[in-house]
Amino acid sequence: MAPVVSAALGALGPLLTKLGGLLAGEYGRLKGVRREIRSLESELISMHAALKEYTELEDPGGQVKAWISLVRELAYDTEDVFDKFIHQLHKGCVRRGGFKEFLGKIALPLKKLGAQRAIADHIDELKDRIKQVKELKDSYKLDNISCSASRHTAVDPRLCALFAEEAHLVGIDGPRDDLAKWMVEEGKMHCRVLSIVGFGGLGKTTLANEVSRKIQGRFDCRAFVSVSQKPVIKKIIKDVISKVPCPDGFTKDIDIWDEMTAITKLRELLQDKRYLVVIDDIWSASAWDAIKYAFPENNCSSRIIFTTRIVDVAKSCCLGRDNRLYEMEALSDFHSRRLFFNRIFGSEDCCSNMLKKVSDEILKKCGGLPLAIISISSLLANIPVAKEEWEKVKRSIGSALENSRSLEGMGSILSLSYNNLPAYLKTCLLYLSAFPEDYEIERERLVRRWIAEGFICEERGKSQYEVAESYFYELINKSMVQPVGFGYDGKVRACRVHDMMLEIIISKSAEDNFMTVLGGGQTSFANRHRFIRRLSIQHIDQELASALANEDLSHVRSLTVTSSGCMKHLPSLAEFEALRVLDFEGCEDLEYDMNGMDKLFQLKYLSLGRTHKSKLPQGIVMLGDLETLDLRGTGVQDLPSGIVRLIKLQHLLVQSGTKIPNGIGDMRNLRVLSGFTITQSRVDAVEDLGSLTSLHELDVYLDGGEPDEYKRHEEMLLSSLFKLGRCKLLTLRINRYGGSLEFLGSWSPPPSSLQLFYMSSNYYFQYVPRWITPALSSLSYININLIELTDEGLHPLGELPSLLRLELWFKARPKDRVTVHGFPCLKEFNISSNHASAYVTFVKGAMPKLEIFGLQFDVSVAKTYGFYVGIEYLTCLKHVRVRLYNNGATPSESKAAAAAAIRNEGAAHPNHPTVTIYGEPVEKDNEETGGNDEDKRKEGN
C-alpha cells in the first residue's frame, strides 16, 4: 500500500516516496542534488521508523509528543521545499525546450545555480534541523521508551452508569420497559441475544443495566462484565464465573486455567441454569466469536445483552432471527431539559430567566447526549450562578473536556472511540474539524477532498474513490459520525458530527497541528510556534484578520471558508502557494479577488459552488494538477478555452447553461461531467463527449425549440452515448423541457454498465425504450415518463433483475386497471402525473421487497373496479403515500371511501405501514396545501 498523508505522521511517508522518485529520475542527475537528496532520505527513513513506533504508544509522555511534533513539522517543510524545487525545474524545462537541453545548460554545482540558490539554502537549513532533532532524541533518551508503556491506570468512566440511582435517570423508562418485555416473552425457551448499539455517552450501559435490574428476579443467576478494547478472553470468562454461584471447590486452581479450560468450566456451570449475562462495551466481532461458546444453548430461556458502539459488531452479535438489535437514540428536548435543570436546580422552575438562553445554547451543544448533559450540569452546579460564568463554560467546552475534572469522564468516554480507530480513520475524522457545528457534510464533497489531501491510496481491486467511500462508511459504522439522508441504494447522502465529538476532534487537530480553526472557539494566534497546515475560517473579525496577515501562509495545504462574511478579511490567494484544497462552497455573493490562482500549482480541489461567482480567473487554466472543479450555483456560463489542458481533471461540475468547451475529448480522466447544456454547445464538442472513456456520470441539459432546430446536437449526443455505453457509464441524467427525447429510444447497443437513468422533462415516451431490457443487470434506478401506464409498459421494467427504485410519470388517463407483477428487488415505487392519475393493484408475489409505495389514485377509475389495491401482498411494506383525485366527477364521499379503504388495507397489513393520504375531503386545507412537493417537479417550464 502506498504511503499517505496522515495526522500522526504528517507527510513523512509520501515524502520518502517522492525523494526516492527524484533519485531514480532525471532530476537526480543534477550535480549536487543527488548527494543532498540521498543524505536527507537516509536520515528521514530512520526518523520515520521511530515515529511509527512512538505513535503506537497508548499514552506517550510530553517529551515523546514534542519530538513527534518536531519530526512531523520537519517532514511537511521538507516536502514543501522539494515541491517548489521540482516545480521550478519543470518551469525551466518548459522554457528551454525539454529536460535534456535544460540539464546541459545547468550542469553546475547546486550552489551556483542562480534560480536554485534559495532551494539549496533551504536544504542546508533542513539538514541543520535534522541534526537538532536527532540530538534532542538522544538527550530525551527516547530509545529507552517501550511501546507498551502506560503512564497510569485510568478509572473506568463507565462505573457511574453501573451504580446510577433509578430516581436520577431520565427518558429511560420507555426503552427499558419495551426491551424488558421482549426479554421475558413467554414461549421463547432458546437463548435470545439483545444488542444495544450507539454513540459513546448515549447511555447504553445504563439502559442494559436497568433492563437487567428489572428482569433479574426471573433468572437463576446474573452477571455483568465489561470488555476492554483489547479483551483478554480468559479474564472475561473468569469474571463471569466469579459473579455466578458456584459449588464448593468449583473454582479450585482457577488461577492456572487456560482459555479453553475457563470456557469449558463456565459452560458446565451454566448448563442447567436460566442465566442473564450483560457484556458491556464490546469492540469487535472477533471478541464475541471467542466468547459466545462459553454460553450454552440450554433451552432454559437464558438471555444475553451486549452493548457496543459499532453497528457491524451489534449485527454480528445477534445474527439469529429471534434476536434483537436496538439502536440508542438521543434524549428528546423535553428529557434533556429535565435532566439538565434537575441536576443543577432541582427543577427548571428554579432557574432564573437570565440563564434560560445560555442554557438552551449549552443543551444544543449536548445534542441529547446524557453523559454530556450530566457532566456539564455537574460543572455548572459548582460555579457561581451568573450568566457570564455560564457563557465562559459554553465557549470553553472543548478545553474543559481535557482540563476540567468534572468533564474528565465524558472526555474519556468520547476519546475511547477515537483512540480505537486505525490511523487512517483518525486522519479522516480529524479532517471534519474543517466544518462548523451542525454542518451537513456531503459524502461526495468529503471523499473528493480526502483524496485531494493525499489521505487515500488505491487498494487491490479498489479505486481511490471506492477506498475513500469505504472509510466514510466505517466512520458511520463506528458511530463516530451521524448519517444524514439515505438513498434508494442505501448510500448515505451526508454526515454530521455530534457537537461533543466535534469539540474532541478540534482539540486533537490543534494538538497535532493538523487543522487550524478560526471561529470554532479560537480567538487569537497566541502561543503558535508552528506553521499553519490546514485552515478553516468559519468566522473572522478585524483583529483576527490582522493576526492572520502576520502569519506565514505559504505552508497552508487546505483553505475552507464557510461564510461569505469572512472573505473581505482574507489575504491574497498568492500567499497560499502550497494549497491542495480550496473550498469556498456556500459563500454566497462571493466578492474576492481571485488573482494569483495561477500560483497554486499543487491545487487538486477547487469549489466555488453556490458562490454566484460570474467569472473565472484566467489563471485557472494553469492548475495542471486539478482533479475537481465545482462551479454549480455560480453564474459562470463560459469556461476559458484553456480549461481542456487540465487533463488530470476527474470531476467537472458546472451550472446549467454552460457550454461544453471545444477539445473536451482530450480530458480523458473525467469521471463525472455535470451541468453542461448540449444545445448551447458546438456540435463537434458534443461529439467529443464520446471520447471520454473513463466517464461514470453524465448529467446534461437540452433546450427546447423547433422540431429540427437541434437535430444535429441530438444525433451527436446519441452517437456519444453509443460509445460511452460500451465503456464505464453508470449514470445518465438528462433534462429537457419544450423538446423531444425520442432520439434516446434508439440507444444501441444497450449501456451494459448503466445503474441509473433519470429524465426530467415534459416529453413522454410512447413505450419503454427498447434498450431497457433484463440484460441491463446493474440498472437499479429509473425515472421515466410514459404517455400511458399499462400492463405492457410495466412488463419489461418488472423483469429488470437489480431495479431498486422506479419512478413513473404518465400523461394520459389509464383506460383500465393496471396489475403489477414481477420486480423482484424493487424497494421504492412511485407513480405520478400532473394531468391524470392511475389505479394499480398488486398480485401475490409482486414486488416482494417493496418498502415505499407512492401513488396518485383516481377515485373515479377505482370506483369502477373497487377500492382494493392489494398492499397486503407487499410483505416488506413500511410507508404508503397516496394522493387522491376525482377530476371533479366524483363526490367527496367517494374520496372519503377510497381513503378509508386504503387506510384499512394498511391497518390490516402485518407490518402496519405508515399511510399518508393527500387530497382527503375531511379537511379542506389538506386538499389545498397537503400535496407532495414532488408532484410539481415535472411541470413544464
Side-chain angles (χ1 to χ4, degrees):
M1 186 182 294
V4 295
V5 177
S6 71
L9 304 179
L12 190 48
L15 170 62
L16 290 173
T17 301
K18 191 170 293 185
L19 294 179
L22 285 173
L23 286 171
E26 290 185 307
Y27 292 126
R29 291 167 52 193
L30 292 172
K31 287 188 178 180
V33 174
R34 186 176 189 83
R35 183 179 63 256
E36 300 288 0
I37 293 176
R38 191 177 294 283
S39 173
L40 284 174
E41 183 188 39
S42 61
E43 296 287 4
L44 291 171
I45 287 174
S46 174
M47 289 185 177
H48 185 230
L51 195 61
K52 288 176 68 176
E53 185 176 320
Y54 296 150
T55 54
E56 291 173 2
L57 290 169
E58 288 186 10
D59 188 15
Q63 289 182 333
V64 175
K65 286 182 178 180
W67 192 82
I68 289 173
S69 177
L70 287 172
V71 176
R72 189 167 49 223
E73 296 300 308
L74 175 63
Y76 276 131
D77 292 343
T78 304
E79 186 180 47
D80 289 345
V81 165
F82 277 92
D83 285 338
K84 189 180 296 185
F85 174 55
I86 294 169
H87 178 65
Q88 290 188 7
L89 287 181
H90 176 71
K91 285 199 302 183
C93 293
V94 173
R95 288 196 301 268
R96 292 167 174 83
F99 187 84
K100 289 184 178 178
E101 182 179 347
F102 174 58
L103 194 63
K105 292 182 179 180
I106 61 168
L108 297 168
L110 186 62
K111 280 284 188 177
K112 295 182 180 179
L113 287 174
Q116 275 68 50
R117 189 171 300 142
I119 299 292
D121 292 340
H122 278 304
I123 291 177
D124 286 342
E125 180 187 332
L126 291 171
K127 289 167 66 177
D128 288 340
R129 286 176 61 183
I130 287 174
K131 182 180 178 182
Q132 293 171 13
V133 170
K134 285 178 63 179
E135 290 173 350
L136 199 60
K137 180 171 180 277
D138 294 337
S139 67
Y140 285 168
K141 299 181 179 179
L142 299 187
D143 288 332
N144 299 327
I145 293 177
S146 167
C147 276
S148 60
S150 183
R151 292 163 57 82
H152 62 271
T153 302
V155 176
D156 190 339
R158 297 167 295 191
L159 287 176
C160 59
L162 299 180
F163 300 102
E165 295 293 337
E166 186 176 352
H168 295 158
L169 301 177
V170 170
I172 205 170
D173 298 7
R176 178 199 61 198
D177 294 346
D178 172 48
L179 295 177
K181 181 180 177 182
W182 178 84
M183 292 282 282
V184 296
E185 277 181 353
E186 296 294 332
K188 306 293 183 180
M189 300 301 293
H190 56 280
C191 183
R192 297 177 98 182
V193 177
L194 168 65
S195 286
I196 302 175
V197 62
F199 183 68
L202 269 177
K204 301 182 295 296
T205 302
T206 301
L207 177 59
N209 199 41
E210 286 303 300
V211 171
S212 176
R213 283 181 187 175
K214 190 172 181 70
I215 63 176
Q216 62 185 357
R218 297 171 178 257
F219 295 84
D220 300 328
C221 56
R222 169 182 179 255
F224 191 112
V225 292
S226 291
V227 180
S228 67
Q229 289 175 313
K230 297 178 181 177
V232 179
I233 304 304
K234 182 169 63 174
K235 179 181 182 301
I236 294 170
I237 301 301
K238 289 179 179 179
D239 284 349
V240 176
I241 291 174
S242 70
K243 295 170 183 177
V244 175
C246 300
D248 290 343
F250 185 85
T251 58
K252 182 182 178 182
D253 300 326
I254 190 171
D255 292 336
I256 61 172
W257 289 356
D258 59 16
E259 188 174 298
M260 185 61 68
T261 303
I263 290 175
T264 302
K265 296 289 280 184
L266 180 56
R267 287 183 63 86
E268 178 187 336
L269 185 62
L270 299 178
Q271 189 60 52
D272 299 318
K273 292 184 175 65
R274 186 183 189 190
Y275 57 84
L276 171 62
V277 177
V278 180
I279 302 177
D280 185 44
D281 214 14
I282 194 165
W283 289 85
S284 68
S286 59
W288 164 236
D289 288 339
I291 293 169
K292 64 184 178 183
Y293 298 108
F295 302 103
E297 175 55 87
N298 54 13
N299 291 319
C300 295
S301 298
S302 298
R303 301 291 183 260
I304 301 173
I305 304 175
F306 285 96
T307 72
T308 181
R309 308 173 189 217
I310 304 171
V311 175
D312 282 352
V313 173
K315 291 177 179 177
S316 69
C317 291
C318 58
L319 292 176
R321 188 174 63 178
D322 203 32
N323 295 330
R324 181 169 179 180
L325 187 152
Y326 180 80
E327 294 190 36
M328 291 290 296
E329 295 181 353
L331 290 179
S332 65
D333 289 345
F334 170 78
H335 285 122
S336 294
R337 296 179 70 84
R338 183 177 165 190
L339 178 61
F340 182 77
F341 290 112
N342 283 1
R343 291 186 69 86
I344 301 173
F345 301 109
S347 77
E348 186 172 354
D349 295 338
C350 299
C351 176
S352 67
N353 289 331
M354 71 173 182
L355 296 176
K356 289 293 179 70
K357 182 180 178 182
V358 66
S359 296
D360 289 342
E361 292 169 348
I362 290 172
L363 280 169
K364 179 181 172 297
K365 263 191 175 298
C366 292
L369 202 65
L371 180 64
I373 297 170
I374 290 169
S375 300
I376 292 176
S377 59
S378 298
L379 177 62
L380 294 172
N382 290 291
I383 65 173
V385 183
K387 182 180 178 181
E388 294 76 15
E389 296 295 324
W390 285 37
E391 289 279 3
K392 287 180 186 177
V393 170
K394 184 196 75 174
R395 289 193 301 268
S396 62
I397 283 177
S399 59
L401 284 170
E402 297 180 337
N403 304 320
S404 168
R405 295 186 64 184
S406 299
L407 301 188
E408 184 180 8
M410 181 175 67
S412 298
I413 286 283
L414 297 179
S415 292
L416 272 177
S417 294
Y418 174 81
N419 294 335
N420 189 57
L421 296 175
Y424 62 87
L425 283 186
K426 286 179 180 176
T427 302
C428 292
L429 181 66
L430 292 186
Y431 195 67
L432 303 186
S433 58
F435 301 96
E437 283 184 5
D438 303 322
Y439 198 92
E440 286 190 8
I441 309 166
E442 292 184 355
R443 182 191 78 249
E444 291 182 344
R445 177 186 182 188
L446 182 60
V447 161
R448 290 167 184 164
R449 286 187 51 161
W450 281 344
I451 293 171
E453 290 277 3
F455 301 157
I456 312 294
C457 70
E458 292 182 357
E459 295 179 4
R460 181 176 296 179
K462 295 173 74 174
S463 67
Q464 277 186 307
Y465 194 89
E466 290 168 332
V467 172
E469 269 201 332
S470 72
Y471 291 176
F472 176 83
Y473 287 110
E474 277 192 69
L475 290 175
I476 292 174
N477 176 50
K478 294 178 183 296
S479 302
M480 303 303 297
V481 298
Q482 302 161 341
V484 178
F486 288 86
Y488 72 95
D489 52 1
K491 284 194 171 184
V492 177
R493 179 182 61 80
C495 71
R496 185 185 289 116
V497 186
H498 192 285
D499 286 359
M500 288 296 135
M501 180 55 72
L502 184 59
E503 295 289 353
I504 291 282
I505 65 176
I506 286 175
S507 173
K508 292 187 180 295
S509 286
E511 180 182 339
D512 292 345
N513 195 31
F514 184 74
M515 181 76 69
T516 301
V517 181
L518 295 185
Q522 183 167 335
T523 56
S524 73
F525 287 99
N527 302 319
R528 280 196 61 85
H529 305 293
R530 298 172 290 184
F531 293 125
I532 298 173
R533 302 297 176 185
R534 296 170 188 85
L535 180 61
S536 172
I537 302 178
Q538 300 164 15
H539 168 76
I540 188 170
D541 54 22
Q542 188 59 55
E543 183 180 350
L544 264 180
S546 299
L548 185 61
N550 293 324
E551 291 285 321
D552 182 352
L553 302 175
S554 64
H555 300 272
V556 177
R557 293 172 168 240
S558 74
L559 174 61
T560 307
V561 184
T562 53
S563 171
S564 55
C566 301
M567 301 306 300
K568 61 183 178 181
H569 299 302
L570 196 63
S572 168
L573 267 185
E575 297 189 35
F576 296 92
E577 60 185 38
L579 279 183
R580 275 78 166 165
V581 171
L582 179 59
D583 194 343
F584 290 153
E585 183 169 328
C587 295
E588 297 182 358
D589 302 316
L590 179 67
E591 295 182 7
Y592 179 60
D593 184 359
M594 306 290 276
N595 288 328
M597 183 168 285
D598 57 307
K599 303 292 194 299
L600 310 181
F601 63 93
Q602 296 186 86
L603 197 66
K604 296 178 182 294
Y605 181 100
L606 172 60
S607 177
L608 301 175
R610 295 185 287 117
T611 62
H612 305 155
K613 193 82 174 169
S614 60
K615 189 177 180 181
L616 291 178
Q618 282 298 320
I620 199 170
V621 302
M622 303 299 292
L623 306 179
D625 280 347
L626 198 64
E627 296 173 353
T628 296
L629 177 59
D630 189 350
L631 302 175
R632 293 172 295 180
T634 67
V636 176
Q637 298 288 298
D638 293 298
L639 299 179
S641 59
I643 201 81
V644 296
R645 296 205 300 268
L646 306 183
I647 58 174
K648 292 185 180 180
L649 206 60
Q650 296 184 28
H651 312 99
L652 181 52
L653 316 168
V654 301
Q655 183 64 19
S656 61
T658 306
K659 300 174 185 176
I660 300 172
N662 297 328
I664 194 171
D666 293 334
M667 305 174 76
R668 296 177 188 270
N669 284 308
L670 278 173
R671 294 165 55 92
V672 179
L673 197 63
S674 174
F676 286 104
T677 298
I678 298 295
T679 46
Q680 295 290 323
S681 308
R682 288 173 52 128
V683 171
D684 53 351
V686 179
E687 186 178 16
D688 264 358
L689 293 178
S691 301
L692 305 178
T693 54
S694 296
L695 201 65
H696 286 189
E697 298 182 27
L698 179 62
D699 183 353
V700 293
Y701 291 77
L702 292 92
D703 294 328
E706 298 301 320
D708 292 328
E709 184 177 354
Y710 297 116
K711 187 173 181 61
R712 285 288 294 155
H713 289 83
E714 294 170 2
E715 290 173 351
M716 287 301 100
L717 176 59
L718 186 60
S719 173
S720 292
L721 290 176
F722 286 169
K723 298 172 184 175
L724 296 175
R726 297 190 189 102
C727 299
K728 302 176 182 178
L729 189 66
L730 305 179
T731 295
L732 174 64
R733 291 184 174 89
I734 192 158
N735 309 269
R736 187 173 202 177
Y737 288 94
S740 172
L741 292 177
E742 183 180 358
F743 67 92
L744 282 179
S746 303
W747 195 351
S748 178
S752 57
S753 299
L754 197 68
Q755 296 177 1
L756 182 150
F757 173 72
Y758 181 102
M759 60 180 289
S760 180
S761 174
N762 55 5
Y763 172 78
Y764 291 80
F765 287 107
Q766 181 75 40
Y767 306 104
V768 174
R770 292 191 303 272
W771 54 267
I772 298 181
T773 72
L776 299 183
S777 58
S778 299
L779 192 56
S780 56
Y781 178 18
I782 297 177
N783 183 308
I784 193 169
N785 299 357
L786 299 173
I787 288 179
E788 184 180 358
L789 186 66
T790 64
D791 288 346
E792 294 77 12
L794 276 182
H795 181 71
L797 299 175
E799 292 185 329
L800 291 168
S802 301
L803 193 62
L804 297 176
R805 181 174 178 178
L806 175 61
E807 298 199 33
L808 291 177
W809 294 78
F810 64 98
K811 187 175 185 179
R813 182 171 175 172
K815 301 181 180 68
D816 205 345
R817 174 177 60 184
V818 177
T819 303
V820 180
H821 304 266
F823 298 94
C825 295
L826 200 69
K827 290 188 175 182
E828 183 171 353
F829 182 34
N830 293 301
I831 306 175
S832 304
S833 173
N834 293 315
H835 312 289
S837 49
Y839 181 50
V840 299
T841 185
F842 298 93
V843 298
K844 190 172 183 178
M847 299 187 178
K849 297 182 180 179
L850 193 72
E851 298 178 358
I852 301 172
F853 174 46
L855 172 69
Q856 292 188 187
F857 194 84
D858 190 331
V859 175
S860 59
V861 174
K863 192 176 180 183
T864 304
Y865 297 100
F867 294 120
Y868 176 73
V869 177
I871 63 176
E872 66 188 77
Y873 296 124
L874 306 175
T875 54
C876 293
L877 197 62
K878 296 179 180 178
H879 307 285
V880 180
R881 296 191 299 264
V882 178
R883 185 173 182 84
L884 298 177
Y885 279 97
N886 62 14
N887 294 316
T890 307
S892 62
E893 289 81 2
S894 295
K895 293 179 76 174
I902 294 168
R903 289 191 189 281
N904 289 338
E905 278 198 68
H909 196 286
N911 294 351
H912 303 295
T914 59
V915 178
T916 305
I917 298 179
Y918 302 97
E920 285 188 83
V922 179
E923 294 180 302
K924 187 174 181 181
D925 287 345
N926 283 358
E927 191 167 353
E928 294 174 350
T929 63
N932 190 334
D933 289 339
E934 290 184 359
D935 295 337
K936 303 173 184 177
R937 181 176 61 83
K938 292 210 173 185
E939 293 177 358
N941 292 338

